[in-house]
Amino acid sequence: MLLVDIGNSRCKWVRVQDGRWSQARACDNAELARVQADMQREPPRRVLVSNVAGDEVSARMHTYCTGVGCEPEFIHATAERCGVRNGYRIPQQLGSDRWAALIAARSRVPGACLVVNCGTATTVDALSAQGEFLGGLILPGLSLLLHSLHANTAQLVAAEGAAQDFPQDTADAMWSGALRATQGAIRHQFDALQRREGAVHCLIGGGAAERVMHGLSVPGEHFEHMVLHGLQILGEDRA
């Protein structure tokens, strides 16, 4: 089984055989043909895909899969699956990446959980102790926050600085602002979920996870490849 997580800017994929993973691989979406080359070297019998990069990318993945004799299974959010109940007013509007991450989190944590994915966008989603997805936040990721400052101001240049309580140069001020804004959103949602549920666990994944966790005033656990883990659970679910 081949699992493919296509985000807004990057793609991750892994093969699973008898529950065991091969080495996970990744590339920019502009290099998606690398997935095709991998499939051609060893055609998979089954492919599960989470794609939030649009219809054109879905069409390309469909072509890649059918080219090796396999029909791809594109994951979409539903009202309920694998112990998670979807609280969105229109369940199908929830992104497949968030849905898969919630399912992975539910499998890893039996109680209430805050599920954070730090990618191109940062998502902060809340799961109750009963497995109900209560809702969540979507905000620009760290790179987007910095880029927006650079793109919309005359004198601010996007550059990664260092997190400081009282930054004394522009790069540090911008980086600290983006980081603290992200951490503040996580802290706010953690506190809100804690007031509702009591004990809360926090899982954090995505490319910027380690940077967001540095100095975060929430006890968080780094959960790498959360979406891929969720896809595996969905693929193995017989319901």
Side-chain angles (χ1 to χ4, degrees):
M1 181 166 61
L2 180 68
L3 310 174
V4 185
D5 167 24
I6 307 174
N8 291 293
S9 57
R10 286 182 62 76
C11 172
K12 284 77 68 179
W13 72 98
V14 69
R15 291 178 183 268
V16 179
Q17 180 70 38
D18 297 325
R20 296 184 178 182
W21 282 30
S22 66
Q23 179 67 41
R25 304 179 66 184
C27 68
D28 291 340
N29 285 353
E31 302 173 310
L32 200 61
R34 289 175 57 185
V35 182
Q36 180 186 31
D38 190 10
M39 294 170 64
Q40 290 173 335
R41 281 192 297 269
E42 185 181 350
R45 288 177 293 183
R46 192 177 178 198
V47 181
L48 271 71
V49 183
S50 166
N51 173 41
V52 298
D55 292 340
E56 181 182 348
V57 171
S58 290
R60 289 178 64 187
M61 278 303 303
H62 187 271
T63 299
Y64 295 165
C65 291
T66 55
V68 296
C70 181
E71 191 71 24
E73 301 173 44
F74 289 96
I75 298 302
H76 300 285
T78 58
E80 186 170 358
R81 190 85 185 271
C82 300
V84 178
R85 296 189 306 281
N86 189 343
Y88 249 33
R89 294 189 185 96
I90 303 174
Q92 295 77 15
Q93 286 187 350
L94 181 65
S96 60
D97 53 346
R98 295 168 71 193
W99 182 237
L102 287 163
I103 287 170
R106 183 62 180 170
S107 177
R108 192 178 184 98
V109 177
C113 186
L114 195 68
V115 184
V116 182
N117 195 0
C118 305
T120 303
T122 298
T123 57
V124 188
D125 292 325
L127 267 176
S128 75
Q130 291 73 40
E132 180 184 0
F133 168 50
L134 302 172
L137 308 181
I138 303 174
L139 57 150
L142 293 178
S143 295
L144 277 181
L145 286 169
L146 291 171
H147 178 74
S148 68
L149 284 171
H150 170 62
N152 293 285
T153 55
Q155 297 183 356
L156 299 182
V157 177
E160 185 169 328
Q164 305 284 342
D165 287 335
F166 304 102
Q168 295 182 326
D169 65 51
T170 301
D172 287 353
M174 292 172 65
W175 178 253
S176 300
L179 182 63
R180 299 308 185 209
T182 301
Q183 292 174 332
I186 296 170
R187 175 84 252 182
H188 180 276
Q189 294 303 99
F190 184 89
D191 290 345
L193 186 58
Q194 193 171 55
R195 287 192 298 271
R196 187 187 192 279
E197 295 287 318
V200 174
H201 199 83
C202 182
L203 297 176
I204 304 178
E210 292 185 356
R211 288 176 288 179
V212 170
M213 291 176 71
H214 184 70
L216 179 66
S217 61
V218 165
E221 175 189 349
H222 188 195
F223 188 4
E224 192 174 14
H225 301 310
M226 210 180 315
V227 174
L228 292 176
H229 281 284
L231 289 177
Q232 180 183 0
I233 294 166
L234 286 163
E236 294 173 349
D237 180 47
R238 301 301 179 185

